[in-house]
């Protein structure tokens, strides 16, 4: 018997708005003025908040966090498409999308400063807090989506993760379960080319990450992740498919991590890429949408200045409220490790409090000698 192929597949690449701000007329979703301006506001909001967080962290006023500069379109576009009953399950680089979803900025600041209150998001938002463990949120998202299906909800779950997560077991287990049980979930991979210090080419031999969907029997598409219009179109199609009962979709959003992995990272130790930085700076998602809006006479420098001023004032108020709350008990995190008291945690808590008391006593002694 001759050998014969048993399957063929293709992976589409979708770009609608190019770096010059020009739209492919055949693919143009023809969004209205208010929709376009809302997307632009979401992108700028995410960038402004991110830049303020970086300044706070460098000043010692905020803990380590993961900047999302340059990747705003990957979360803002899909978040704009989501309904109130859809679930938002993110990793740790979806700041713009979270703000658009209604997540309070002060809660985001609390989260990254280690305060458990930051994880107490308004239940009505159907938004989980950041998942720091790489890929761990994928099974959570699939479970939520499967529950939505069992309950007969006309809703879906959108789950973000990075390219590094596609090398994790949770990713494969989650996609397989979702496909087998036709869970209404949209997987969005933020392929920013780096899993901390490991480049994309050393993570997988796959030509694309989107093609991993084929192995599990679901559609996969590669999208220009810096093109917010393409992200809107791809997400709308995937959400509609999920809500029709046709199961999950994998979207690979090709973007770039312009800055550090986290504020505890020093990328100069493992990458030297002036050319790559210049290339991706030219593909900036905010710049290209602004060019498009300006060409349509919907935006100008005066409106830009007014928006930036408004958002910076709003962010400043949230920072002020965040820093005004000093009621945090230093040992509070020990209360949230397990649902019930645990002997090992109780012991660790006692040791921690003893160290705090010792340091306070030393400070008093040094002050007395001074």
């Amino acid at each position: 018997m001759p050998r014969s192929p048993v399957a063929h597949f293709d992976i589409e690449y979708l770009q609608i708005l190019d770096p010059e701000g020009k739209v492919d007329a055949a693919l143009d979703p023809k969004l209205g003025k208010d929709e376009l301006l809302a997307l632009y506001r979401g992108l700028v909001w995410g960038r402004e908040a991110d830049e303020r967080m970086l300044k706070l962290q460098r000043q010692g006023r905020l803990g380590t966090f993961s900047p999302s500069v340059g990747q705003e379109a990957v979360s803002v576009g899909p978040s704009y498409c989501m309904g109130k009953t859809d679930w938002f399950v993110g990793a740790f680089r979806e700041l713009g999308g979270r703000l658009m979803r209604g997540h309070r900025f002060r809660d985001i600041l609390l989260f990254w400063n280690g305060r458990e209150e930051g994880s107490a998001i308004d239940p009505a938002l159907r938004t989980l807090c950041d998942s720091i463990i790489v890929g761990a949120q994928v099974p959570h998202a699939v479970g939520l989506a499967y529950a939505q299906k069992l309950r007969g909800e006309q809703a879906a779950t959108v789950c973000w993760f990075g390219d590094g997560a596609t090398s994790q077991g949770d990713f494969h287990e989650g996609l397989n379960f979702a496909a087998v049980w036709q869970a209404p979930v949209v997987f969005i991979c933020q392929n920013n080319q780096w899993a901390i210090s490991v480049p994309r080419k050393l993570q997988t031999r796959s030509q694309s990450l989107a093609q991993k969907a084929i192995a599990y029997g679901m559609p996969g598409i590669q999208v220009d992740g810096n093109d917010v219009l393409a992200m809107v179109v791809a997400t709308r199609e995937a959400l509609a498919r999920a809500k029709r009962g046709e199961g999950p979709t994998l979207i690979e959003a090709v973007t770039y991590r312009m800055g550090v992995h986290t504020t505890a990272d020093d990328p100069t130790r493992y990458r030297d890429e002036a050319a790559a930085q210049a290339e991706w700076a030219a593909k900036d998602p905010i710049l290209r949408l602004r060019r498009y809006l300006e060409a349509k006479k919907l935006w100008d420098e005066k409106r830009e200045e007014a928006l930036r001023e408004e958002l910076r004032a709003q962010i400043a108020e949230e920072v002020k409220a965040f820093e005004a709350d000093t009621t945090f008990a230093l040992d509070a995190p020990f209360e949230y490790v397990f649902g019930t008291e645990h002997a090992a945690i109780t012991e660790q808590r006692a040791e921690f409090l003893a160290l705090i008391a010792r340091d306070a006593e030393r400070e008093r002694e040094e002050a007395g000698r001074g």
Side-chain angles (χ1 to χ4, degrees), residues 11-52:
I11 295 296
E12 288 185 349
Y13 176 76
L14 178 63
Q15 181 191 71
I16 298 173
L17 184 65
D18 72 14
E20 300 304 317
K22 297 177 181 175
V23 165
D24 184 318
L27 300 173
D28 187 355
K30 302 187 186 310
L31 301 181
K33 172 185 173 182
D34 291 344
E35 291 180 293
L36 291 169
L37 294 180
L39 287 169
Y40 187 72
R41 179 188 178 85
L43 294 175
V44 176
W45 196 3
R47 181 71 58 86
E48 287 287 340
D50 189 89
E51 290 179 348
R52 185 61 193 277

Side-chain angles (χ1 to χ4, degrees), residues 35-171:
E35 291 180 293
L36 291 169
L37 294 180
L39 287 169
Y40 187 72
R41 179 188 178 85
L43 294 175
V44 176
W45 196 3
R47 181 71 58 86
E48 287 287 340
D50 189 89
E51 290 179 348
R52 185 61 193 277
M53 288 176 69
L54 184 59
K55 290 176 182 175
L56 290 171
Q57 197 280 332
R58 296 312 192 209
Q59 293 166 359
R61 297 159 64 186
L62 187 68
T64 294
F65 82 100
S66 49
S68 56
V69 59
Q71 297 183 222
E72 294 87 353
V74 183
S75 62
V76 166
S79 185
Y80 183 71
C81 299
M82 294 172 65
K84 291 182 179 179
T85 55
D86 296 331
W87 274 96
F88 183 116
V89 182
F92 43 71
R93 224 178 289 278
E94 290 82 30
L95 177 58
R98 288 184 178 280
L99 294 172
M100 179 166 276
R101 185 70 175 165
H103 197 152
R104 291 196 316 175
F105 185 51
R106 75 179 67 174
D107 289 333
I108 292 169
L109 296 174
L110 287 169
F111 176 86
W112 288 109
N113 229 21
R115 295 184 57 165
E116 297 298 331
E117 300 97 312
S119 300
I121 303 168
D122 182 351
L125 296 180
R126 286 199 166 190
T127 300
L128 298 192
C129 62
D130 291 55
S131 177
I132 304 301
I133 302 172
V134 176
Q137 74 279 21
V138 176
H140 302 161
V142 173
L144 286 168
Y146 188 52
Q148 289 174 310
K149 178 181 179 179
L150 293 179
R151 293 178 175 180
E153 295 182 3
Q154 284 298 307
T157 297
V158 181
C159 176
W160 286 264
F161 45 83
D163 45 284
T166 65
S167 301
Q168 297 283 68
D170 283 343
F171 166 81

Side-chain angles (χ1 to χ4, degrees), residues 115-328:
R115 295 184 57 165
E116 297 298 331
E117 300 97 312
S119 300
I121 303 168
D122 182 351
L125 296 180
R126 286 199 166 190
T127 300
L128 298 192
C129 62
D130 291 55
S131 177
I132 304 301
I133 302 172
V134 176
Q137 74 279 21
V138 176
H140 302 161
V142 173
L144 286 168
Y146 188 52
Q148 289 174 310
K149 178 181 179 179
L150 293 179
R151 293 178 175 180
E153 295 182 3
Q154 284 298 307
T157 297
V158 181
C159 176
W160 286 264
F161 45 83
D163 45 284
T166 65
S167 301
Q168 297 283 68
D170 283 343
F171 166 81
H172 297 281
E173 293 160 9
L175 264 66
N176 190 57
F177 186 101
V180 169
W181 295 100
Q182 294 289 277
V185 56
V186 179
F187 300 106
I188 299 179
C189 175
Q190 292 218 43
N191 177 8
N192 68 11
Q193 316 300 319
W194 289 89
I196 308 182
S197 59
V198 181
R200 154 80 170 80
K201 64 182 180 182
L202 293 182
Q203 296 178 55
T204 177
R205 296 284 291 178
S206 293
Q207 189 172 350
S208 74
L209 299 180
Q211 72 192 62
K212 293 178 182 287
I214 304 303
Y216 298 105
M218 72 177 74
I221 184 171
Q222 190 180 71
V223 178
D224 181 342
N226 284 17
D227 173 0
V228 73
L229 297 187
M231 289 305 302
V232 165
V233 169
T235 306
R236 280 184 172 174
E237 290 177 354
L239 281 172
R241 183 172 179 277
K243 294 177 183 179
R244 288 195 304 266
E246 298 174 14
T249 300
L250 173 61
I251 297 172
E252 176 191 359
V254 181
T255 182
Y256 198 77
R257 197 190 81 207
M258 295 295 291
V260 295
H261 172 69
T262 71
T263 49
D265 173 46
D266 177 9
T268 62
R269 297 183 63 183
Y270 54 81
R271 66 182 192 183
D272 179 11
E273 49 177 15
Q277 289 284 335
E279 174 191 346
W280 285 91
K283 297 177 180 176
D284 188 285
I286 296 177
L287 180 62
R288 69 170 71 179
L289 184 56
R290 178 175 174 175
R291 286 171 171 164
Y292 177 59
L293 294 175
E294 289 175 342
K296 292 175 70 72
K297 307 298 183 186
L298 296 176
W299 204 250
D300 54 33
E301 187 60 32
K302 186 177 179 180
R303 289 173 176 150
E304 179 76 14
E305 290 177 1
L307 175 63
R308 299 270 181 178
E309 184 177 348
E310 175 201 338
L311 292 175
R312 286 169 185 167
Q314 182 177 338
I315 290 168
E317 283 298 313
E318 292 288 289
V319 171
K320 184 178 179 181
F322 154 67
E323 294 191 317
D325 184 357
T326 58
T327 59
F328 180 58

